[in-house]
Amino acid sequence: MIVVTGATGNVGRTLVRLLTDAGERVTGVARSITEADVPPGVRAVAADLGDPESLRPALKGAGALFLLVAGEDPQGLVGAAKAAGVRRLVLLSSQGAGTRPPAYAHAAGFEAAVRESGLEWTVLRSGGLASNAFAWAEPVRLHRTAAAPFGDVGLPFVDPDDVAAVGAAVLRAEGSAHAGATYTLTGPAPTTPRERAAALAAALGEPVGFVEQTREQAEAQMSAFMPPPVVAGTLALLGAPMPEEQQVSPDVERILGRAPRTFAEWAARNAAAFR
């Protein structure tokens, strides 16, 4: 049994499908989840990662766990996994945990708990997800405009389906091929916010205007749903990325045997959300 937390999210939904299609027994976990949210044959269990005890029913009979950085008690979550007999633990973390640990202390703390767990662990450090562009869905639908700061700064955003595919490969690997590994997952090339807006326009077959926000406007917008340290770290990464944050990692291709998908491919697949 493989347990997938965040099973209704941009990565988890695809991961559950990939594992199910491969014949694995899967339990999907999210705070609010029903059998209608997962493929036939997948067990759906509601649990809150902020409460490690709530995860225990989902872990019954599990051999592997795909864990998100969520909640404030990574030790409790890891302890619940160990108590249930989980042997393999795959953590979806953030690239910032390696490049900017003070700003991404939450993710770094989860990584430390996983590494010290005594289990067979793998850490997946995701770069920015292409699905972050869903924040543009309403303004693009209503006004055909997209707004973001630092319009000409490029980062190699990664397709969440590629993150899911790497997760599935690691969870299903024979033996301990990925044990103790930390992988950085990026797209195939840096793209700027202006270029991503243009890719959406191409996918829609209609113009999409790009509006460059000031740093202050972006900070105010992010502060509505992010704590101040994460806002500061995110703006620093978006506006003045380190060289390693702009580099394309070989890890997706190394694990999947193919190049990562482009942002344009993601936009074409998801154009309906912006129409």
Side-chain angles (χ1 to χ4, degrees):
M1 174 72 75
I2 299 174
V3 175
V4 177
T5 63
T8 58
N10 290 313
V11 173
R13 188 181 298 276
T14 299
L15 177 56
V16 167
R17 177 178 55 78
L18 292 174
L19 293 172
T20 303
D21 289 349
E24 301 290 348
R25 294 171 55 230
V26 180
T27 294
V29 175
R31 275 188 300 235
S32 177
I33 190 171
T34 68
E35 301 293 339
D37 297 315
V38 294
V42 173
R43 185 170 65 127
V45 179
D48 185 347
L49 294 183
D51 176 11
E53 286 298 314
S54 73
L55 190 59
R56 291 185 185 274
L59 293 171
K60 185 177 180 180
L65 170 64
F66 182 82
L67 181 63
L68 302 184
V69 172
E72 302 298 331
D73 188 5
Q75 298 290 350
L77 292 168
V78 169
K82 292 180 70 172
V86 168
R87 300 180 304 278
R88 180 173 295 177
L89 183 53
V90 177
L91 176 70
L92 179 57
S93 184
S94 169
Q95 185 180 18
T99 57
R100 301 172 188 264
Y104 290 82
H106 192 209
F110 268 76
E111 289 191 9
V114 166
R115 291 192 176 99
E116 296 162 7
S117 67
L119 301 176
E120 183 181 298
W121 59 266
T122 307
V123 171
L124 307 181
R125 286 178 173 168
S126 173
L129 291 172
S131 51
N132 291 349
F134 281 136
W136 288 342
E138 185 174 354
V140 169
R141 284 197 303 267
L142 296 179
H143 309 295
R144 288 294 188 259
T145 61
F150 317 117
D152 297 306
V153 178
L155 288 166
F157 275 42
V158 62
D159 190 320
D161 281 7
D162 284 346
V163 176
V166 170
V170 171
L171 287 162
R172 300 189 66 241
E174 295 293 333
S176 55
H178 302 287
T182 297
Y183 297 123
T184 298
L185 310 182
T186 72
T191 59
T192 69
R194 198 182 307 277
E195 289 169 339
R196 292 192 288 276
L200 280 173
L204 293 168
E206 298 181 25
V208 173
F210 178 75
V211 177
E212 183 161 6
Q213 294 174 311
T214 66
R215 183 186 183 93
E216 291 72 26
Q217 288 170 331
E219 183 175 13
Q221 186 177 45
M222 291 178 182
S223 295
F225 57 92
M226 291 181 181
V230 177
V231 172
T234 301
L235 287 172
L237 190 155
L238 293 175
M242 300 176 184
E244 57 265 43
E245 292 166 341
Q246 292 187 295
Q247 289 175 355
V248 173
S249 168
D251 289 342
V252 169
E253 186 163 7
R254 179 183 296 137
I255 296 167
L256 300 182
R258 60 163 176 80
R261 297 180 178 95
T262 65
F263 182 84
E265 289 174 292
W266 178 89
R269 282 202 326 275
N270 293 278
F274 299 86
R275 292 199 186 282

Short mmCIF file of all heavy atoms in Angstrom, two decimals, residues 157-221:
data_model
loop_
_atom_site.label_atom_id
_atom_site.label_comp_id
_atom_site.label_asym_id
_atom_site.label_seq_id
_atom_site.Cartn_x
_atom_site.Cartn_y
_atom_site.Cartn_z
N PHE A 157 10.49 26.80 -14.21
CA PHE A 157 9.31 26.23 -13.57
C PHE A 157 9.10 24.79 -14.05
O PHE A 157 9.34 24.47 -15.22
CB PHE A 157 8.08 27.07 -13.88
CG PHE A 157 7.89 28.23 -12.94
CD1 PHE A 157 8.96 29.02 -12.54
CD2 PHE A 157 6.63 28.54 -12.46
CE1 PHE A 157 8.79 30.08 -11.67
CE2 PHE A 157 6.44 29.61 -11.58
CZ PHE A 157 7.53 30.38 -11.19
N VAL A 158 8.62 23.94 -13.14
CA VAL A 158 8.46 22.51 -13.44
C VAL A 158 6.99 22.17 -13.53
O VAL A 158 6.15 22.67 -12.77
CB VAL A 158 9.17 21.65 -12.37
CG1 VAL A 158 8.58 21.86 -10.98
CG2 VAL A 158 9.16 20.18 -12.75
N ASP A 159 6.66 21.28 -14.47
CA ASP A 159 5.30 20.78 -14.64
C ASP A 159 4.97 19.88 -13.45
O ASP A 159 5.71 18.93 -13.16
CB ASP A 159 5.22 19.98 -15.94
CG ASP A 159 3.81 19.62 -16.34
OD1 ASP A 159 3.00 19.28 -15.47
OD2 ASP A 159 3.51 19.66 -17.56
N PRO A 160 3.87 20.12 -12.73
CA PRO A 160 3.54 19.25 -11.60
C PRO A 160 3.34 17.79 -11.99
O PRO A 160 3.56 16.90 -11.17
CB PRO A 160 2.25 19.86 -11.03
CG PRO A 160 1.72 20.75 -12.09
CD PRO A 160 2.90 21.22 -12.88
N ASP A 161 2.95 17.54 -13.24
CA ASP A 161 2.83 16.15 -13.67
C ASP A 161 4.20 15.47 -13.73
O ASP A 161 4.30 14.25 -13.51
CB ASP A 161 2.16 16.08 -15.05
CG ASP A 161 0.65 16.23 -14.96
OD1 ASP A 161 0.13 16.52 -13.85
OD2 ASP A 161 -0.03 16.09 -16.00
N ASP A 162 5.25 16.23 -14.02
CA ASP A 162 6.60 15.66 -13.98
C ASP A 162 7.03 15.36 -12.54
O ASP A 162 7.69 14.35 -12.27
CB ASP A 162 7.60 16.60 -14.64
CG ASP A 162 7.53 16.58 -16.16
OD1 ASP A 162 6.90 15.66 -16.71
OD2 ASP A 162 8.10 17.49 -16.80
N VAL A 163 6.66 16.24 -11.62
CA VAL A 163 6.95 15.98 -10.21
C VAL A 163 6.25 14.70 -9.78
O VAL A 163 6.82 13.84 -9.09
CB VAL A 163 6.52 17.16 -9.33
CG1 VAL A 163 6.74 16.86 -7.85
CG2 VAL A 163 7.29 18.43 -9.73
N ALA A 164 4.98 14.55 -10.19
CA ALA A 164 4.23 13.34 -9.86
C ALA A 164 4.87 12.10 -10.47
O ALA A 164 4.96 11.05 -9.82
CB ALA A 164 2.79 13.48 -10.33
N ALA A 165 5.33 12.21 -11.71
CA ALA A 165 5.95 11.06 -12.37
C ALA A 165 7.24 10.65 -11.67
O ALA A 165 7.52 9.46 -11.51
CB ALA A 165 6.22 11.39 -13.84
N VAL A 166 8.03 11.63 -11.23
CA VAL A 166 9.23 11.30 -10.46
C VAL A 166 8.84 10.65 -9.15
O VAL A 166 9.43 9.65 -8.73
CB VAL A 166 10.08 12.56 -10.22
CG1 VAL A 166 11.20 12.29 -9.22
CG2 VAL A 166 10.68 13.07 -11.53
N GLY A 167 7.83 11.20 -8.48
CA GLY A 167 7.37 10.60 -7.23
C GLY A 167 6.96 9.15 -7.42
O GLY A 167 7.31 8.28 -6.61
N ALA A 168 6.21 8.86 -8.48
CA ALA A 168 5.77 7.50 -8.75
C ALA A 168 6.96 6.58 -9.00
O ALA A 168 7.01 5.44 -8.51
CB ALA A 168 4.82 7.48 -9.93
N ALA A 169 7.93 7.06 -9.77
CA ALA A 169 9.12 6.24 -10.07
C ALA A 169 9.90 5.92 -8.81
O ALA A 169 10.36 4.79 -8.62
CB ALA A 169 10.00 6.97 -11.08
N VAL A 170 10.05 6.90 -7.93
CA VAL A 170 10.80 6.68 -6.69
C VAL A 170 10.03 5.74 -5.76
O VAL A 170 10.61 4.83 -5.16
CB VAL A 170 11.08 8.04 -6.00
CG1 VAL A 170 11.66 7.83 -4.62
CG2 VAL A 170 12.04 8.87 -6.85
N LEU A 171 8.73 5.95 -5.63
CA LEU A 171 7.93 5.11 -4.74
C LEU A 171 7.89 3.66 -5.20
O LEU A 171 7.82 2.74 -4.38
CB LEU A 171 6.51 5.66 -4.64
CG LEU A 171 6.33 6.94 -3.83
CD1 LEU A 171 5.01 7.61 -4.18
CD2 LEU A 171 6.41 6.66 -2.34
N ARG A 172 7.96 3.44 -6.52
CA ARG A 172 7.83 2.09 -7.07
C ARG A 172 9.17 1.41 -7.34
O ARG A 172 9.20 0.25 -7.75
CB ARG A 172 7.03 2.12 -8.38
CG ARG A 172 5.62 2.67 -8.24
CD ARG A 172 4.82 2.47 -9.52
NE ARG A 172 4.59 1.07 -9.79
CZ ARG A 172 5.01 0.42 -10.86
NH1 ARG A 172 5.72 1.05 -11.79
NH2 ARG A 172 4.74 -0.86 -11.02
N ALA A 173 10.26 2.12 -7.11
CA ALA A 173 11.57 1.58 -7.46
C ALA A 173 11.88 0.31 -6.67
O ALA A 173 11.54 0.19 -5.49
CB ALA A 173 12.65 2.61 -7.20
N GLU A 174 12.51 -0.63 -7.35
CA GLU A 174 12.94 -1.85 -6.68
C GLU A 174 14.11 -1.56 -5.75
O GLU A 174 14.98 -0.75 -6.05
CB GLU A 174 13.35 -2.91 -7.71
CG GLU A 174 12.21 -3.38 -8.61
CD GLU A 174 11.15 -4.17 -7.86
OE1 GLU A 174 11.51 -4.77 -6.83
OE2 GLU A 174 9.99 -4.16 -8.29
N GLY A 175 14.14 -2.23 -4.63
CA GLY A 175 15.25 -2.09 -3.71
C GLY A 175 15.35 -0.68 -3.17
O GLY A 175 14.36 0.00 -2.94
N SER A 176 16.57 -0.21 -3.00
CA SER A 176 16.81 1.10 -2.41
C SER A 176 17.52 2.02 -3.39
O SER A 176 18.43 2.76 -3.02
CB SER A 176 17.63 0.96 -1.12
OG SER A 176 18.84 0.26 -1.37
N ALA A 177 17.09 1.98 -4.66
CA ALA A 177 17.77 2.74 -5.70
C ALA A 177 17.82 4.24 -5.41
O ALA A 177 18.76 4.93 -5.80
CB ALA A 177 17.08 2.50 -7.05
N HIS A 178 16.80 4.76 -4.74
CA HIS A 178 16.74 6.20 -4.48
C HIS A 178 16.89 6.54 -3.01
O HIS A 178 16.68 7.69 -2.62
CB HIS A 178 15.41 6.76 -5.01
CG HIS A 178 15.19 6.51 -6.47
ND1 HIS A 178 15.89 7.20 -7.45
CD2 HIS A 178 14.37 5.64 -7.12
CE1 HIS A 178 15.49 6.77 -8.65
NE2 HIS A 178 14.58 5.82 -8.47
N ALA A 179 17.24 5.56 -2.21
CA ALA A 179 17.34 5.79 -0.77
C ALA A 179 18.44 6.79 -0.46
O ALA A 179 19.56 6.69 -0.99
CB ALA A 179 17.61 4.48 -0.04
N GLY A 180 18.14 7.76 0.38
CA GLY A 180 19.13 8.74 0.79
C GLY A 180 19.42 9.80 -0.25
O GLY A 180 20.35 10.59 -0.08
N ALA A 181 18.61 9.88 -1.31
CA ALA A 181 18.87 10.84 -2.39
C ALA A 181 18.00 12.08 -2.20
O ALA A 181 16.88 12.02 -1.71
CB ALA A 181 18.57 10.21 -3.75
N THR A 182 18.56 13.22 -2.62
CA THR A 182 17.81 14.48 -2.69
C THR A 182 17.85 14.95 -4.13
O THR A 182 18.94 15.19 -4.68
CB THR A 182 18.42 15.54 -1.76
OG1 THR A 182 18.33 15.09 -0.41
CG2 THR A 182 17.67 16.87 -1.89
N TYR A 183 16.70 15.05 -4.76
CA TYR A 183 16.61 15.43 -6.16
C TYR A 183 16.00 16.83 -6.29
O TYR A 183 15.05 17.17 -5.56
CB TYR A 183 15.74 14.44 -6.93
CG TYR A 183 16.28 13.04 -6.97
CD1 TYR A 183 15.53 11.97 -6.50
CD2 TYR A 183 17.53 12.78 -7.50
CE1 TYR A 183 16.02 10.67 -6.54
CE2 TYR A 183 18.05 11.48 -7.54
CZ TYR A 183 17.28 10.43 -7.06
OH TYR A 183 17.77 9.15 -7.10
N THR A 184 16.53 17.61 -7.22
CA THR A 184 15.97 18.92 -7.54
C THR A 184 15.22 18.80 -8.87
O THR A 184 15.78 18.33 -9.87
CB THR A 184 17.07 19.98 -7.65
OG1 THR A 184 17.73 20.09 -6.38
CG2 THR A 184 16.49 21.34 -8.02
N LEU A 185 13.96 19.21 -8.87
CA LEU A 185 13.10 19.02 -10.03
C LEU A 185 12.78 20.37 -10.67
O LEU A 185 12.18 21.23 -10.02
CB LEU A 185 11.82 18.30 -9.62
CG LEU A 185 12.01 17.02 -8.78
CD1 LEU A 185 10.66 16.39 -8.47
CD2 LEU A 185 12.93 16.04 -9.49
N THR A 186 13.17 20.54 -11.91
CA THR A 186 12.92 21.79 -12.65
C THR A 186 12.36 21.46 -14.03
O THR A 186 12.36 20.31 -14.47
CB THR A 186 14.20 22.62 -12.83
OG1 THR A 186 15.05 21.96 -13.79
CG2 THR A 186 14.95 22.80 -11.52
N GLY A 187 11.94 22.51 -14.71
CA GLY A 187 11.57 22.38 -16.10
C GLY A 187 12.80 22.38 -16.99
O GLY A 187 13.94 22.41 -16.50
N PRO A 188 12.61 22.40 -18.33
CA PRO A 188 13.73 22.25 -19.26
C PRO A 188 14.47 23.54 -19.55
O PRO A 188 15.55 23.51 -20.15
CB PRO A 188 13.06 21.72 -20.53
CG PRO A 188 11.69 22.32 -20.48
CD PRO A 188 11.31 22.34 -19.03
N ALA A 189 13.90 24.70 -19.16
CA ALA A 189 14.53 25.98 -19.45
C ALA A 189 13.87 27.06 -18.60
O ALA A 189 12.69 26.97 -18.27
CB ALA A 189 14.38 26.33 -20.93
N PRO A 190 14.63 28.10 -18.25
CA PRO A 190 13.99 29.21 -17.54
C PRO A 190 12.98 29.93 -18.44
O PRO A 190 13.19 30.08 -19.64
CB PRO A 190 15.17 30.14 -17.20
CG PRO A 190 16.39 29.28 -17.32
CD PRO A 190 16.08 28.29 -18.40
N THR A 191 11.88 30.34 -17.84
CA THR A 191 10.91 31.19 -18.53
C THR A 191 10.58 32.37 -17.61
O THR A 191 10.59 32.24 -16.39
CB THR A 191 9.61 30.45 -18.87
OG1 THR A 191 9.01 29.94 -17.66
CG2 THR A 191 9.86 29.31 -19.83
N THR A 192 10.31 33.51 -18.19
CA THR A 192 9.94 34.69 -17.43
C THR A 192 8.42 34.77 -17.28
O THR A 192 7.69 34.13 -18.05
CB THR A 192 10.43 35.97 -18.12
OG1 THR A 192 9.66 36.14 -19.34
CG2 THR A 192 11.91 35.89 -18.46
N PRO A 193 7.92 35.54 -16.31
CA PRO A 193 6.46 35.72 -16.23
C PRO A 193 5.87 36.25 -17.54
O PRO A 193 4.79 35.82 -17.96
CB PRO A 193 6.30 36.73 -15.09
CG PRO A 193 7.48 36.49 -14.22
CD PRO A 193 8.60 36.16 -15.16
N ARG A 194 6.59 37.15 -18.20
CA ARG A 194 6.09 37.69 -19.47
C ARG A 194 5.99 36.56 -20.52
O ARG A 194 5.01 36.49 -21.28
CB ARG A 194 7.03 38.80 -19.96
CG ARG A 194 6.44 39.70 -21.01
CD ARG A 194 7.45 40.75 -21.47
NE ARG A 194 8.03 41.51 -20.36
CZ ARG A 194 7.44 42.57 -19.79
NH1 ARG A 194 6.26 42.97 -20.23
NH2 ARG A 194 8.04 43.20 -18.80
N GLU A 195 6.98 35.69 -20.55
CA GLU A 195 6.96 34.58 -21.50
C GLU A 195 5.87 33.57 -21.15
O GLU A 195 5.23 32.99 -22.05
CB GLU A 195 8.32 33.88 -21.52
CG GLU A 195 9.41 34.71 -22.18
CD GLU A 195 10.80 34.15 -21.95
OE1 GLU A 195 11.01 33.38 -20.98
OE2 GLU A 195 11.71 34.51 -22.74
N ARG A 196 5.61 33.37 -19.86
CA ARG A 196 4.55 32.44 -19.48
C ARG A 196 3.18 32.99 -19.86
O ARG A 196 2.29 32.24 -20.28
CB ARG A 196 4.65 32.11 -17.99
CG ARG A 196 5.90 31.29 -17.65
CD ARG A 196 5.86 30.72 -16.26
NE ARG A 196 6.04 31.69 -15.20
CZ ARG A 196 7.22 32.13 -14.77
NH1 ARG A 196 8.34 31.69 -15.32
NH2 ARG A 196 7.28 33.01 -13.77
N ALA A 197 2.99 34.30 -19.72
CA ALA A 197 1.74 34.91 -20.17
C ALA A 197 1.57 34.74 -21.68
O ALA A 197 0.46 34.47 -22.18
CB ALA A 197 1.70 36.38 -19.78
N ALA A 198 2.67 34.88 -22.41
CA ALA A 198 2.61 34.69 -23.86
C ALA A 198 2.28 33.25 -24.22
O ALA A 198 1.55 32.99 -25.20
CB ALA A 198 3.94 35.11 -24.51
N ALA A 199 2.79 32.30 -23.44
CA ALA A 199 2.49 30.89 -23.69
C ALA A 199 1.01 30.61 -23.45
O ALA A 199 0.38 29.83 -24.19
CB ALA A 199 3.35 30.00 -22.81
N LEU A 200 0.43 31.25 -22.43
CA LEU A 200 -1.00 31.10 -22.21
C LEU A 200 -1.79 31.68 -23.38
O LEU A 200 -2.79 31.10 -23.81
CB LEU A 200 -1.40 31.80 -20.91
CG LEU A 200 -1.13 31.04 -19.62
CD1 LEU A 200 -1.42 31.93 -18.41
CD2 LEU A 200 -1.96 29.77 -19.55
N ALA A 201 -1.35 32.84 -23.88
CA ALA A 201 -2.02 33.44 -25.03
C ALA A 201 -1.99 32.50 -26.23
O ALA A 201 -3.00 32.32 -26.93
CB ALA A 201 -1.36 34.77 -25.38
N ALA A 202 -0.85 31.87 -26.45
CA ALA A 202 -0.74 30.93 -27.58
C ALA A 202 -1.67 29.74 -27.38
O ALA A 202 -2.29 29.25 -28.33
CB ALA A 202 0.70 30.47 -27.72
N ALA A 203 -1.76 29.25 -26.14
CA ALA A 203 -2.63 28.11 -25.86
C ALA A 203 -4.10 28.47 -26.07
O ALA A 203 -4.90 27.64 -26.53
CB ALA A 203 -2.40 27.61 -24.43
N LEU A 204 -4.46 29.71 -25.75
CA LEU A 204 -5.84 30.17 -25.89
C LEU A 204 -6.17 30.62 -27.31
O LEU A 204 -7.33 30.70 -27.70
CB LEU A 204 -6.11 31.32 -24.92
CG LEU A 204 -6.10 30.97 -23.43
CD1 LEU A 204 -6.09 32.24 -22.59
CD2 LEU A 204 -7.30 30.10 -23.09
N GLY A 205 -5.13 30.98 -28.06
CA GLY A 205 -5.36 31.54 -29.38
C GLY A 205 -5.89 32.96 -29.32
O GLY A 205 -6.52 33.43 -30.27
N GLU A 206 -5.62 33.65 -28.20
CA GLU A 206 -6.08 35.03 -28.01
C GLU A 206 -5.00 35.80 -27.25
O GLU A 206 -4.25 35.22 -26.47
CB GLU A 206 -7.37 35.07 -27.19
CG GLU A 206 -8.55 34.38 -27.83
CD GLU A 206 -9.79 34.48 -26.95
OE1 GLU A 206 -9.87 35.44 -26.15
OE2 GLU A 206 -10.66 33.60 -27.07
N PRO A 207 -4.93 37.12 -27.46
CA PRO A 207 -3.92 37.90 -26.73
C PRO A 207 -4.18 37.88 -25.22
O PRO A 207 -5.33 37.88 -24.78
CB PRO A 207 -4.11 39.32 -27.29
CG PRO A 207 -4.82 39.14 -28.58
CD PRO A 207 -5.69 37.94 -28.42
N VAL A 208 -3.10 37.84 -24.46
CA VAL A 208 -3.16 37.99 -23.00
C VAL A 208 -2.16 39.08 -22.63
O VAL A 208 -0.95 38.94 -22.89
CB VAL A 208 -2.81 36.68 -22.27
CG1 VAL A 208 -2.70 36.93 -20.75
CG2 VAL A 208 -3.86 35.61 -22.55
N GLY A 209 -2.65 40.18 -22.07
CA GLY A 209 -1.76 41.26 -21.68
C GLY A 209 -1.00 40.92 -20.41
O GLY A 209 -1.52 40.22 -19.53
N PHE A 210 0.22 41.42 -20.30
CA PHE A 210 1.01 41.21 -19.09
C PHE A 210 1.20 42.54 -18.37
O PHE A 210 1.58 43.54 -18.99
CB PHE A 210 2.38 40.61 -19.42
CG PHE A 210 3.23 40.43 -18.19
CD1 PHE A 210 2.97 39.40 -17.30
CD2 PHE A 210 4.27 41.30 -17.91
CE1 PHE A 210 3.73 39.25 -16.16
CE2 PHE A 210 5.04 41.15 -16.77
CZ PHE A 210 4.77 40.12 -15.88
N VAL A 211 0.91 42.54 -17.07
CA VAL A 211 1.06 43.72 -16.23
C VAL A 211 2.14 43.43 -15.19
O VAL A 211 2.00 42.49 -14.40
CB VAL A 211 -0.26 44.08 -15.52
CG1 VAL A 211 -0.05 45.28 -14.60
CG2 VAL A 211 -1.36 44.36 -16.54
N GLU A 212 3.20 44.22 -15.21
CA GLU A 212 4.28 43.99 -14.24
C GLU A 212 3.96 44.70 -12.92
O GLU A 212 3.83 45.93 -12.89
CB GLU A 212 5.62 44.46 -14.78
CG GLU A 212 6.77 44.17 -13.83
CD GLU A 212 8.13 44.21 -14.51
OE1 GLU A 212 8.17 44.58 -15.69
OE2 GLU A 212 9.12 43.86 -13.87
N GLN A 213 3.82 43.92 -11.86
CA GLN A 213 3.56 44.49 -10.54
C GLN A 213 4.84 45.07 -9.94
O GLN A 213 5.95 44.62 -10.24
CB GLN A 213 3.04 43.41 -9.59
CG GLN A 213 1.70 42.83 -9.92
CD GLN A 213 1.35 41.68 -8.99
OE1 GLN A 213 2.15 40.78 -8.77
NE2 GLN A 213 0.15 41.71 -8.44
N THR A 214 4.66 46.03 -9.05
CA THR A 214 5.79 46.47 -8.24
C THR A 214 6.03 45.42 -7.15
O THR A 214 5.16 44.59 -6.86
CB THR A 214 5.50 47.82 -7.57
OG1 THR A 214 4.42 47.64 -6.62
CG2 THR A 214 5.11 48.88 -8.60
N ARG A 215 7.20 45.49 -6.55
CA ARG A 215 7.49 44.59 -5.44
C ARG A 215 6.46 44.76 -4.33
O ARG A 215 6.01 43.78 -3.72
CB ARG A 215 8.91 44.85 -4.92
CG ARG A 215 9.34 43.88 -3.81
CD ARG A 215 10.69 44.26 -3.22
NE ARG A 215 11.10 43.29 -2.24
CZ ARG A 215 11.85 42.24 -2.48
NH1 ARG A 215 12.29 42.02 -3.72
NH2 ARG A 215 12.16 41.39 -1.51
N GLU A 216 6.08 46.00 -4.06
CA GLU A 216 5.13 46.28 -2.98
C GLU A 216 3.76 45.68 -3.29
O GLU A 216 3.09 45.13 -2.40
CB GLU A 216 5.01 47.79 -2.76
CG GLU A 216 6.26 48.45 -2.18
CD GLU A 216 7.41 48.53 -3.19
OE1 GLU A 216 7.13 48.54 -4.43
OE2 GLU A 216 8.58 48.55 -2.75
N GLN A 217 3.32 45.78 -4.53
CA GLN A 217 2.03 45.20 -4.90
C GLN A 217 2.05 43.68 -4.74
O GLN A 217 1.10 43.08 -4.22
CB GLN A 217 1.69 45.57 -6.34
CG GLN A 217 1.31 47.03 -6.53
CD GLN A 217 1.22 47.41 -8.00
OE1 GLN A 217 1.91 46.85 -8.87
NE2 GLN A 217 0.36 48.39 -8.30
N ALA A 218 3.14 43.05 -5.17
CA ALA A 218 3.25 41.60 -5.05
C ALA A 218 3.31 41.19 -3.59
O ALA A 218 2.70 40.19 -3.19
CB ALA A 218 4.50 41.11 -5.79
N GLU A 219 4.04 41.96 -2.78
CA GLU A 219 4.15 41.64 -1.36
C GLU A 219 2.78 41.69 -0.68
O GLU A 219 2.42 40.82 0.11
CB GLU A 219 5.11 42.61 -0.68
CG GLU A 219 5.35 42.31 0.79
CD GLU A 219 6.41 43.21 1.39
OE1 GLU A 219 6.77 44.23 0.75
OE2 GLU A 219 6.88 42.91 2.50
N ALA A 220 2.00 42.70 -0.99
CA ALA A 220 0.67 42.83 -0.40
C ALA A 220 -0.23 41.66 -0.81
O ALA A 220 -0.98 41.11 0.00
CB ALA A 220 0.03 44.15 -0.83
N GLN A 221 -0.13 41.26 -2.06
CA GLN A 221 -0.95 40.15 -2.55
C GLN A 221 -0.55 38.84 -1.88
O GLN A 221 -1.40 38.07 -1.43
CB GLN A 221 -0.81 40.05 -4.07
CG GLN A 221 -1.72 39.01 -4.71
CD GLN A 221 -1.57 39.02 -6.22
OE1 GLN A 221 -0.48 39.06 -6.76
NE2 GLN A 221 -2.71 38.98 -6.92
#
